[in-house]
Amino acid sequence: MKSFKRMAAVAAVAVAGPTVLTATPAMAADQPAVIVPDVAPKDDAADAGTPTPAMPGVQTPVPVPAPAVPAPAVPDVQAPAPQPAPVAEKAAKDAKSEADTQDAEAEADGMLMGPDVTVAGIPKNGFKADGSWTPLQVTVDNGGHVAVPNYTPTLSVDGYGGTFKPSQVKVEWKTAGGTWQSAELTQGEAFGNSLQYSLGTDTTLAKGTSYTVDVRIAFAAGTTVMPFDLTSAGFSRVGNHVDYSPSAWYNATIAGAVDDRENPFVEGPALTVNGVPETIKAGGDWTNLSVRVDNSGKEALKGFNVGLVLARPDWVKMKPSQIKVEVLSKDKNGKAGWHEAEVWSEEESVFFGIDLAGGPVAAGQSFDVQFRIRFAADAPLGAVSIFSWGSSQVGPDTPTPWADSRSRARLTTIVAASTNTGGNGNGNGNQPNPNGGAKPITDTTGTTGTTGTTGTTGGELAATGSDPATTWALGGAGVALAMGAALVAGTGRRRRTTA
């Protein structure tokens, strides 16, 4: 498992070509986070014994039994003596009970597209193995996801080249009342060598909300000096049904360890999707949005490509033809204006990737990539999560390190067209205000911020900062096509490493 984890990001690039590798703004000065998709092989020890999670609307294929092969005759082998009836009956009952339990577990496991669970405060120089506490902050961000009942965030440690004993690790989390509570430890075959700690349960995690848990961790004297994975994740349990949200791996070490894991990624410009309204009408007019590209404090990039992902956290499938996106940028002939962007996905899907634009980014530069979106009248109603991806990798020969970025997700809802007048007066307008007057969601950087700008009556937006329409070209460098391997990060596992 370890060698694969170390090579997962590079493998994703090899498979997908110009791959988008997700990133979030740094949550702590000493721990900038970069996200990349991590796909688990069948023999991944971390998933050993865990049934494949069932996703709503996706039928699990039924295993095809192997053809029967007659057993070869073995001479002079005595058949086992018949078991007494009570013993045989008990064995049959035990076998049936185990099979029923496995079936129940398989039916109970499912996936969520959110919330995102992230960790801040991981020390650059490693965790001390002297029993002292190291404070961490675990943030549960449900800003781009629907409500989740009984949600429990988790934190795990998994040694690289060694194992941790439960007696060597202590984890505590601070309750709302301000008291420190020992985190519940979970072990088992499904976790491999990992030690997983539960950090309290929120009975109702509302849509579009987030919170942070203060956590502290201590490693006892004598703990093996080694690199390790620090993993944040979470799950929702209702009765016997358990849904798992995406997990994130961070490279960490015990102080003094040499970490030889490859890390070809650095934190790219911070991305923020602005202007997302609470609702968008099916069959309505354009809703104007933008992606803020903030390269403050970072070096110049010769090329950087920005893409968009639309996801259905309610697992309701849509068709690409039901989504239209236009970008304010240059076309291939250098003409600036609104140009249609291709919506990439399967014929019907819950994930959609869109190339927005790409071009050079100067050191410290900040600007908006402006785009607009509309949904067809027959688009399925329900929740839509919107977030942006970015990468400086423009081809297989692009030198490392690659600058990669990911915005926080924003949640909107496709609603039926109303009969009241809005926007352009036809009753289906999403302008001049989003959805004809719906209140925009507050855009944030970190945990607080200002409300993003929305559309204007003229349909053309005045770019703030440097105008991307004069410097950036439509479509970037195939960002959305490369998202094929990365879209699983919406419901799978992600690598977050130090820059």
Side-chain angles (χ1 to χ4, degrees):
M1 178 178 71
K2 295 305 176 190
S3 60
F4 181 85
K5 283 184 180 180
R6 193 174 68 182
M7 297 174 62
V10 177
V13 172
V15 172
T19 306
V20 176
L21 304 166
T22 59
T24 58
M27 298 180 63
D30 61 351
Q31 180 63 31
V34 176
I35 316 168
V36 305
D38 199 353
V39 183
K42 292 181 180 179
D43 59 352
D44 194 326
D47 291 332
T50 303
T52 301
M55 291 183 285
V58 179
Q59 184 175 0
T60 303
V62 178
V64 179
V69 179
V74 180
D76 301 327
V77 176
Q78 185 176 359
Q83 294 287 340
V87 177
E89 184 176 330
K90 181 179 184 302
K93 286 183 178 180
D94 290 345
K96 183 178 185 303
S97 175
E98 181 178 355
D100 290 344
T101 299
Q102 292 176 347
D103 289 342
E105 290 176 351
E107 294 175 356
D109 288 344
M111 279 181 157
L112 299 168
M113 292 186 189
D116 286 328
V117 183
T118 55
V119 182
I122 299 174
K124 273 186 175 181
N125 297 325
F127 292 85
K128 296 179 180 180
D130 59 4
S132 61
W133 291 110
T134 298
L136 301 173
Q137 296 78 43
V138 175
T139 297
V140 179
D141 184 2
N142 206 39
H145 195 256
V146 295
V148 182
N150 300 323
Y151 188 77
T152 304
T154 62
L155 195 68
S156 303
V157 294
D158 187 3
Y160 180 80
T163 58
F164 291 111
K165 298 177 181 178
S167 60
Q168 294 175 326
V169 184
K170 290 184 180 180
V171 178
E172 295 183 351
W173 60 280
K174 185 179 289 187
T175 66
T179 59
W180 287 101
Q181 173 78 37
S182 293
E184 179 182 353
L185 171 62
T186 304
Q187 289 181 275
E189 183 180 2
F191 301 104
N193 294 324
S194 296
L195 304 179
Q196 177 176 285
Y197 299 87
S198 297
L199 309 176
T201 300
D202 189 330
T203 55
T204 305
L205 181 56
K207 70 176 184 178
T209 61
S210 64
Y211 67 92
T212 298
V213 181
D214 288 326
V215 177
R216 60 187 185 185
I217 185 170
F219 295 89
T223 300
T224 302
V225 176
M226 60 181 170
F228 66 94
D229 286 332
L230 186 69
T231 307
S232 56
F235 61 89
S236 167
R237 181 186 296 276
V238 178
N240 289 328
H241 188 90
V242 180
D243 290 325
Y244 298 92
S245 63
S247 60
W249 277 308
Y250 294 81
N251 285 355
T253 62
I254 299 298
V258 176
D259 193 349
D260 61 352
R261 290 172 289 186
E262 297 178 19
N263 179 23
F265 312 106
V266 297
E267 185 187 20
L271 302 180
T272 306
V273 180
N274 288 322
V276 178
E278 293 178 347
T279 60
I280 299 178
K281 292 180 182 179
D285 292 329
W286 293 108
T287 294
N288 290 326
L289 307 172
S290 65
V291 174
R292 184 72 171 174
V293 180
D294 185 356
N295 202 38
S296 300
K298 299 182 177 69
E299 297 181 0
L301 299 172
K302 293 182 179 179
F304 187 74
N305 308 297
V306 174
L308 193 73
V309 172
L310 305 182
R312 292 296 299 252
D314 54 9
W315 295 94
V316 174
K317 289 186 177 181
M318 295 177 62
K319 299 177 180 179
S321 60
Q322 294 170 325
I323 305 169
K324 297 294 182 184
V325 177
E326 290 186 350
V327 188
L328 185 62
S329 61
K330 294 188 300 182
D331 63 12
K332 61 182 180 180
N333 298 317
K335 182 180 178 180
W338 288 108
H339 301 291
E340 184 173 0
E342 181 180 2
V343 178
W344 177 89
S345 79
E346 299 175 357
E347 180 57 27
E348 287 191 330
S349 180
V350 294
F351 288 112
F352 302 89
I354 301 102
D355 280 332
L356 292 182
V361 181
Q365 185 183 23
S366 297
F367 57 87
D368 294 326
V369 177
Q370 301 178 67
F371 65 98
R372 57 189 185 184
I373 187 170
R374 65 193 302 177
F375 295 104
D378 62 347
L381 309 183
V384 176
S385 182
I386 302 175
F387 55 97
S388 180
W389 302 63
S391 177
S392 65
Q393 188 206 353
V394 296
D397 297 326
T398 304
T400 57
W402 300 315
D404 293 280
S405 309
R406 183 197 174 192
S407 75
R408 291 181 59 192
R410 296 285 186 259
L411 188 69
T412 189
T413 302
I414 302 175
V415 297
S418 60
T419 56
N420 61 319
T421 301
N424 61 5
N426 65 4
N428 294 335
N430 289 321
Q431 291 180 301
N433 295 315
N435 198 27
K439 181 182 178 182
I441 295 174
T442 299
D443 301 301
T444 61
T445 301
T447 56
T448 60
T450 58
T451 301
T453 58
T454 58
T456 61
T457 55
E460 291 284 336
L461 297 176
T464 58
S466 296
D467 186 352
T470 63
T471 58
W472 274 33
L474 176 70
V479 172
L481 293 178
M483 287 179 185
L487 287 179
V488 295
T491 53
R493 294 178 294 174
R494 308 170 187 172
R495 167 74 70 182
R496 298 177 185 246
T497 58
T498 56

